[in-house]
Amino acid sequence: EGEAAADGVWLQTRDDPADGGKPSELPRILVLTPVKNAARHLPRYFANLRSLAYPRERISVGVLESDSDDTIQTFPNGTVVRDPNAKSTLDVLREALPSLRRDFRRVNVFKHDFGLNLPRGDRHFF
């Protein structure tokens, strides 16, 4: 049986016949993830979501995509080239959406561009 800890965090063991836990006793959770230029990382991210030790019917997934330009390559001389064969973050999300919706309670993808342009090299500098 789950219990709330003093800090408000819900504690519950995984659905396991040995501990008597049932998925319906567990709280629903939302995994909310902002992404930008994440096309090459999303397959592993989805695999990690699927490997969570928590009942999938209790997990909702939200992905916030913004300002991705992962099909564009900028060279040191300033030349900008779009790769017509590269998949964008949004392309990968669209392709994964049907299987994610089968696997989890609810899945939503939200796209909104804010015009945020971070330098590619030192974006984690500050």
Side-chain angles (χ1 to χ4, degrees):
E1 185 173 344
E3 59 185 58
D7 60 2
V9 175
W10 186 266
L11 303 175
Q12 175 69 52
T13 56
R14 184 172 184 247
D15 178 26
D16 185 342
D19 69 11
K22 297 178 185 170
S24 62
E25 295 174 354
L26 297 173
R28 293 181 191 153
I29 64 168
L30 169 64
V31 178
L32 186 61
T33 308
V35 296
K36 178 178 178 176
N37 296 333
R40 66 188 179 121
H41 303 288
L42 288 172
R44 184 167 182 184
Y45 171 73
F46 299 144
N48 287 339
L49 278 178
R50 288 182 172 106
S51 71
L52 291 173
Y54 203 83
R56 291 184 189 171
E57 65 273 10
R58 306 300 291 172
I59 300 173
S60 293
V61 177
V63 181
L64 312 172
E65 193 281 330
S66 177
D67 297 302
S68 289
D69 60 0
D70 34 10
T71 61
I72 296 174
Q73 192 171 18
T74 304
F75 294 94
N77 66 1
T79 303
V80 177
V81 177
R82 182 178 297 275
D83 182 350
N85 299 317
K87 288 187 180 179
S88 71
T89 296
L90 199 56
D91 292 335
V92 174
L93 288 167
R94 283 184 180 131
E95 289 175 6
L97 204 51
S99 67
L100 290 170
R101 285 191 168 148
R102 282 190 300 273
D103 289 345
F104 296 97
R105 180 175 185 275
R106 181 177 296 152
V107 178
N108 289 299
V109 174
F110 301 93
K111 169 146 182 70
H112 182 81
D113 290 332
F114 294 94
L116 181 63
N117 294 312
L118 298 173
R120 289 204 179 259
D122 293 330
R123 65 177 99 183
H124 297 290
F125 176 73
F126 52 107

